[in-house]
Amino acid sequence: MSMITTSVAGRTWHFSHALGRNTAEHNGQTGGYGYPVDVAIAPDGFLFVLSKGWGKEVEGYHTDIYRRIGKTTISENHVGDFARREFTSPAGIAVSRDGNVYATDEHENEVLVFSPDRIQPFAQFDPSGETINRWGKTGSALGYLDAPSGIKFDSKDNLIISDSGNDRIQKFTKNGEYIDSWGGHGTSKGEFNRPWGIGTDRDNNVYVADWGNNRIQKFTEDGEYLMSFGASVDDGSNLDHPAAVAVDSDGDVYVSDWGNRRIQIYEPGGDVITALYGDVIKLSKAGEYLLGRNGGLYRGLFDTMDDAMTRVKKFDRPGGLIIDANNRLIVTDICGRLQVYIKDNDWIDPIPQ
C-alpha cells in the first residue's frame, strides 16, 4: 500500500489508517460511530469515542442508539459501547488518571462519569443508569455551567472545562468541586465567544479553541493570557470555527478547523506549518466488513463508483482530536470515522528517479 505523506519544515505526517464507519452497531472488531464529536485516550491506551448521534429515535429501539461512547483500540479492535441513554447533547470527553471516563452534556449542563469497563451489548442499556457520578449546576455564577463543551484533565488530574454558554474556562476537581475560572464574553485578549475544545502542553499551558472568534488562545495553567493565533491573517490559512486543539511533544499545535474541513498545524510560536485535508487510501476494518455483507453486494456497488475513494478520502467537518504518546494524531470526523496520522521528524523525501 502506498503511503501518503505531508512534509514541511523538517516534519512529516504519514497517513496511517482509518477507524470505524457510520453505524449504530458493533460486531467484535467492526465498531462504528454516529457523528463522533470527540475522542480521548486512557492510560492503558484504549480510545473512547463520543458520538453525538442524530437527534432522533431509531425505530424499534426507542432511543437514539447512535448517541453513545465507544471503546476501541488504535488498531480498531472494538471492545463495545455504553451510555446509550445517558445524554441529551454530548459534547466533550476526557479520561482521568484512574481510567474513568468523563463527558459533558451541553444541554443538561452536567459532567457525567463512567467506569471504562461498563460495556453494554448492542443495543442494550441499564434503565437505572450507567454513570458512577454526575455533577453540574445550571447558571452563570462561579462553579455553575452553561453549555459545557470541551474538557481536559491537567497534570494535577483536575478537570478544565469550556463553559461555552458563559464564555469562560472553569477548573474543577474530578469530583466537581470548583477551583478557578477565567474569561468573559468579547473579542479582546482573554475573552471568548463560545469557547469549545481545550488542549494542554508539557508546560501545563492551556490552549482554547475560541469557536466564535475563529482563533486559538493560549494561557498559563492559572489563566494568564499568553498569546493567540489563527485569525490575524486572511491568506487562506485563517481559522473558521475551530472545534478542538492539541499539542504534541515537540510543541506543535494541531487545530480542528471545522469550518474549513481541515486540520491546521502551527509552530509553537503560532506560525502556520501546514494543513491536512484527509488522506484515506484504504477503508477501515468496519468499512470493509460492511462491503463484505450480503454476499458482497455492497462491494460491487462501491467498486463501480469511479470516485468512491475520492468521496471518502477527505475530512468532512473534523471535530475532536488528540495526540497520543507516540505523536500519533487521531481525528474524529462527522462521517462516522477517525483518521490517524503518524508524525516523523526524521523523514527524508525520496529523490525523484
Side-chain angles (χ1 to χ4, degrees):
M1 181 176 67
S2 61
M3 179 178 293
I4 301 294
T5 64
T6 300
S7 295
V8 180
R11 308 159 172 88
T12 295
W13 290 269
H14 308 287
F15 171 77
S16 176
H17 62 287
L19 288 76
R21 65 180 176 88
N22 192 351
T23 180
E25 67 177 332
H26 65 80
N27 294 288
Q29 297 181 350
T30 57
Y33 313 108
Y35 193 167
V37 291
D38 205 5
V39 57
I41 189 165
D44 58 9
F46 280 105
L47 298 176
F48 290 88
V49 182
L50 181 64
S51 289
K52 195 176 188 67
W54 300 115
K56 60 183 181 180
E57 180 179 297
V58 179
E59 185 176 357
Y61 293 103
H62 307 292
T63 186
D64 182 353
I65 52 177
Y66 293 89
R67 185 187 301 141
R68 65 198 189 279
I69 297 173
K71 181 178 181 180
T72 191
T73 69
I74 191 68
S75 57
E76 203 182 5
N77 294 316
H78 193 69
V79 177
D81 305 321
F82 57 95
R84 289 188 185 87
R85 280 199 173 184
E86 298 294 336
F87 300 105
T88 300
S89 183
I93 192 168
V95 181
S96 62
R97 286 180 188 168
D98 59 11
N100 286 330
V101 181
Y102 289 65
T104 54
D105 189 319
E106 62 176 325
H107 185 272
E108 303 297 336
N109 303 316
E110 289 184 327
V111 176
L112 293 79
V113 189
F114 302 89
S115 165
D117 301 316
R118 189 158 190 174
I119 302 300
Q120 295 286 355
F122 178 81
Q124 296 178 19
F125 65 96
D126 187 339
S128 65
E130 297 174 27
T131 61
I132 57 176
N133 193 12
R134 58 196 309 157
W135 48 266
K137 296 181 179 180
T138 302
S140 59
L142 294 180
Y144 286 59
L145 298 170
D146 182 0
S149 52
I151 55 176
K152 178 76 176 181
F153 278 99
D154 66 12
S155 62
K156 300 175 183 178
D157 213 26
N158 292 319
L159 196 58
I160 310 169
I161 300 179
S162 277
D163 188 8
S164 185
N166 287 316
D167 292 308
R168 65 187 176 190
I169 303 302
Q170 296 209 75
K171 186 181 293 188
F172 299 84
T173 69
K174 61 184 180 181
N175 294 320
E177 299 166 353
Y178 171 77
I179 298 175
D180 195 10
S181 68
W182 66 86
H185 181 75
T187 59
S188 299
K189 296 177 180 179
E191 295 179 334
F192 303 104
N193 183 0
R194 307 294 294 189
W196 207 256
I198 295 177
T200 56
D201 63 20
R202 60 172 57 185
D203 297 320
N204 299 320
N205 295 313
V206 179
Y207 298 72
V208 180
D210 192 358
W211 169 272
N213 286 325
N214 298 315
R215 65 185 177 184
I216 300 299
Q217 294 200 69
K218 178 181 178 181
F219 303 86
T220 67
E221 61 181 322
D222 297 319
E224 178 185 349
Y225 173 84
L226 295 174
M227 65 178 293
S228 65
F229 52 90
S232 60
V233 296
D234 189 18
D235 60 358
S237 63
N238 49 312
L239 298 172
D240 182 0
H241 293 89
V245 57
V247 185
D248 70 17
S249 62
D250 301 317
D252 290 337
V253 183
Y254 301 72
V255 179
S256 182
D257 192 2
W258 186 86
N260 286 316
R261 293 179 168 88
R262 64 188 175 188
I263 304 301
Q264 287 274 59
I265 306 176
Y266 297 83
E267 291 184 333
D271 293 329
V272 174
I273 302 174
T274 190
L276 304 173
Y277 288 85
D279 293 290
V280 170
I281 52 179
K282 183 180 180 181
L283 295 179
S284 65
K285 292 179 182 178
E288 290 293 337
Y289 168 81
L290 172 64
L291 295 186
R293 294 175 65 179
N294 292 338
L297 173 63
Y298 298 141
R299 166 63 69 184
L301 294 173
F302 186 83
D303 289 344
T304 59
M305 297 171 59
D306 293 336
D307 60 346
M309 286 307 301
T310 300
R311 292 187 183 186
V312 303
K313 176 181 179 179
K314 301 298 184 181
F315 289 123
D316 185 6
R317 304 296 189 184
L321 57 78
I322 56 171
I323 308 291
D324 74 3
N326 297 310
N327 266 353
R328 286 180 294 205
L329 168 66
I330 306 167
V331 183
T332 67
D333 200 342
I334 191 176
C335 59
R337 66 175 176 206
L338 283 66
Q339 289 199 44
V340 181
Y341 287 81
I342 300 172
K343 185 181 183 183
D344 184 357
N345 289 331
D346 299 320
W347 173 261
I348 299 177
D349 288 327
I351 299 174
Q353 300 295 320

